[in-house]
Amino acid sequence: MTAYVSAFDLFSIGVGPSSSHTVGPMRAALAFAQRLDASGALDRIARVGCTLYGSLGATGIGHGTPDAVVAGLRGLSPETCDPADVRSAWTTYTPGEPLRLNGVHEVPFAKEDIVFAPRTRLPGHPNAMTITAWDADDVVVVEETYYSIGGGFIRRDGEEAQLATGSFPYAYTDAASLLALCDENGLSIAELARLNESSLRSEDEVAAGLDAIWNAMSTCVDAGLHSDGVLPGMLKVKRRAGMIRAQLEESEADGHRELPGEWLGAFALAVNEENAAGGRVVTAPTNGAAGILPAVGMYWWRFMADSGLGAGNAVTPYGELVGSALLGFGAEASLVAVGAIDDPDAVAEANRRRGIRRFLLTATALGSLFKANASISGAEGGCQAEVGSACAMAAGGLTAVMGGTNRQIENAAEIAMEHHLGLTCDPIGGLVQIPCIERNAIAASTAVTAARLALRGDGSHYVSLDAVVETMRQTGADMSTKYKETSEGGLAVNVIEC
C-alpha cells in the first residue's frame, strides 16, 4: 500500500468552479450513465433523479453542481467538454425538453428532479449524491450513491476511489518513509515520483502528460490575464487580473523594474477568476485552490528559470543525478542533453520544461501525502485541506527547482502547511469567489516565502511535515461543519450578499 497518487489523477484537467462540487458530481453522473449503457439497462429507463446531500446540497447551486450532474448524465466529461455546455445545463433547462442519457437515450426531465438535502449527511463523506433510475412502471432499476471526495475524485458506495492503479516501485506512506526511500536509493523526490509514473506509462508519455498539464495551467493563466467583466452569481464580483496585468505592463514599459511579487498575485487571481467563471482549469489539487501551483510555477518560469539556481542546476547532494536524469526525460530534453539542439531559445525552453516537470512531480509526491493521511476536500477538512495543501505542494515544488535538497523540500512544505492550519471554508453565497480568489494569491506568496526560508536552512527543523499533516487531519475532524464548505458560518453569514 502506498500514499502515492499519480500526477495524472492529482492534476486533472476539468472545468470550474469546484473540483468537489462540479468535477466530481459530473464524473459521478457520467459514470452512472455509462454503467446503465454498458449493463444494457439504458433502454428500460423512463426517468432519472438525483439527490444532493450535505455540502453538495448546501452550496451546490453556487458551485454549479446540478448543472454538472445534468451534463454528466448527458455523457459529457469534464476533461473534454466545452465548459459552456456545463454552465447552464440545469440552470436554464428548458421545461419539457428530454434528457438524452449518455447522449443516446431520451427520458423526461425537469429541474425538480435534482433534489437538495443539505441537512442530511451520509456517513461515507460530506459530499454525497444518490442517482436513481426508474422504469416506465416507476420501479427503481438502478440506484447508486457516490461520494465526491475532493480534487475531482469520486468513490461509489461500496467501492474504492477511482485512481490509476499499478505496482509502484517506490511505495511510501508518509514523509518520513518518502525521505528514507530517497536516501536509500540516491533519488530526489521528483525522480522517485517520475519512476513511479514510469511504471504505468512510458517516459515519453509521462513527459508529454506533464507538459499537457502545464500547458493547460499556463493557458488558464493567460486567459484570466486577458479577460475582464463580472463573474457569474449574485455577488457581481469584478475581474481584476486583467486590470493588474495592464498596470504592470504599463509600469514595465515606462522603464520600471519588473515586479515578480505582484505578477505572482496576478497569476493566481487570473486562474481563480477563470475557475469562478466555469472555465477550463486544472485541479491542483482542487479547483478552489487551482491558482496556487500555476502561479508559483509561472513565477519560476518567468522570473527565475534562466538563472543557474532557478534552472535547477545548483550542486546538491542529488544534483548531478537529478540533472542528468531529467535532461533525458522526454525526447526534446534528450536532444538538448546530447547537444543535438543548439538554438539558445530552444535549449532555454527545454530546460524550462525540465524544471516544470520536476516542479509538478515534486508537488505530486507531497500532495499524495495530504490526500492519503488527511484530506484535500474542503467539505471534509476546511480550506486548510485545499489551499493549505496546494500551498505546501507549491512551496516544495519551487524549492526543488531552486536546487533544494529533499529535506529542504520537506521543510518548505511543512512551513507552508503549518501556517494554514485551521483555515475555514466559508464561501459567501456558496460561490467560489470570496474569499477564495484572493486566498489563492495570498497562499502563492506564502509558498514562495516558505521556499525561501527553507532554502536558507539546511533542512533540519523542529516540526515534521508528518506532524503537520496529522494536525491538519485532527483539526479538520474537530472543525464545525458550518466552516466546511456549507456556507453556514464565518464570512458566509457575516457579510451581506448584495
Side-chain angles (χ1 to χ4, degrees), residues 331-358:
E332 182 184 27
S334 297
L335 292 173
V336 173
V338 300
I341 297 178
D342 56 8
D343 178 67
D345 290 338
V347 171
E349 172 72 14
N351 283 335
R352 283 190 177 93
R353 289 286 178 183
R354 173 172 63 98
I356 283 296
R357 292 169 191 162
R358 184 187 302 182

Side-chain angles (χ1 to χ4, degrees), residues 48-413:
V48 294
C50 178
T51 301
L52 303 172
Y53 299 103
S55 181
L56 293 183
T59 59
I61 291 180
H63 287 67
T65 306
D67 296 292
V69 170
V70 172
L73 289 173
R74 285 174 170 167
L76 299 183
S77 166
E79 291 83 2
T80 59
C81 71
D82 182 342
D85 291 336
V86 181
R87 294 180 194 132
S88 58
W90 175 86
T91 304
T92 60
Y93 200 89
T94 304
E97 178 186 352
L99 175 65
R100 190 181 293 271
L101 280 174
N102 206 32
V104 296
H105 178 66
E106 291 187 351
V107 297
F109 186 80
K111 291 179 68 175
E112 293 74 23
D113 291 326
I114 305 290
V115 177
F116 301 87
R119 301 294 181 185
T120 303
R121 296 170 65 87
L122 302 191
H125 194 276
N127 292 331
M129 54 187 283
T130 297
I131 310 177
T132 308
W134 294 267
D135 64 15
D137 296 321
D138 214 28
V139 175
V140 173
V141 177
V142 179
E143 183 171 85
E144 294 179 347
T145 294
Y146 293 86
Y147 305 107
S148 182
I149 59 177
F153 294 97
I154 61 171
R155 177 170 62 83
R156 194 163 68 102
D157 192 36
E159 295 182 350
E160 295 297 319
Q162 297 179 2
L163 301 174
T165 58
S167 180
F168 291 121
Y170 295 96
Y172 59 90
T173 57
D174 53 21
S177 58
L178 170 60
L179 292 174
L181 264 180
C182 290
D183 288 345
E184 180 183 343
N185 294 280
L187 299 171
S188 73
I189 291 174
E191 181 66 0
L192 181 146
R194 179 173 76 90
L195 293 172
N196 276 346
E197 297 294 343
S198 297
S199 70
L200 300 179
R201 47 184 64 85
S202 72
E203 287 201 348
D204 281 346
E205 288 174 329
V206 175
L210 292 171
D211 289 349
I213 290 170
W214 174 247
N215 289 344
M217 287 181 170
S218 58
T219 297
C220 186
V221 171
D222 188 65
L225 288 176
H226 291 87
S227 298
D228 55 20
V230 175
L231 296 173
M234 83 288 283
L235 299 180
K236 306 299 181 186
V237 173
K238 187 176 181 179
R239 285 180 179 252
R240 289 179 290 168
M243 176 187 65
I244 295 173
R245 172 196 55 79
Q247 292 172 348
L248 292 173
E249 288 178 345
E250 181 179 358
S251 177
E252 291 168 3
D254 290 340
H256 297 288
R257 64 181 178 85
E258 291 182 324
L259 303 168
E262 293 196 45
W263 275 109
L264 174 68
F267 297 151
L269 292 179
V271 173
N272 284 87
E273 287 173 357
E274 278 296 290
N275 178 64
R280 176 74 66 202
V281 295
V282 179
T283 60
T286 66
N287 282 30
I292 300 164
L293 277 141
V296 174
M298 188 62 72
Y299 169 84
W300 173 81
W301 180 284
R302 176 163 175 174
F303 299 107
M304 305 175 68
D306 291 335
S307 66
L309 182 62
N313 294 325
V315 176
T316 72
Y318 307 109
E320 292 184 359
L321 174 64
V322 172
S324 62
L326 291 188
L327 270 174
F329 183 23
E332 182 184 27
S334 297
L335 292 173
V336 173
V338 300
I341 297 178
D342 56 8
D343 178 67
D345 290 338
V347 171
E349 172 72 14
N351 283 335
R352 283 190 177 93
R353 289 286 178 183
R354 173 172 63 98
I356 283 296
R357 292 169 191 162
R358 184 187 302 182
F359 175 80
L360 292 174
L361 287 168
T362 304
T364 297
L366 296 171
S368 297
L369 295 171
F370 293 106
K371 178 166 176 51
N373 299 322
S375 177
I376 59 171
S377 167
E380 194 170 33
C383 201
Q384 59 170 0
E386 296 199 34
V387 165
S389 297
C391 183
M393 293 163 65
L398 182 61
T399 303
V401 295
M402 291 178 69
T405 67
N406 289 334
R407 279 167 176 75
Q408 287 174 321
I409 292 168
E410 185 257 359
N411 187 196

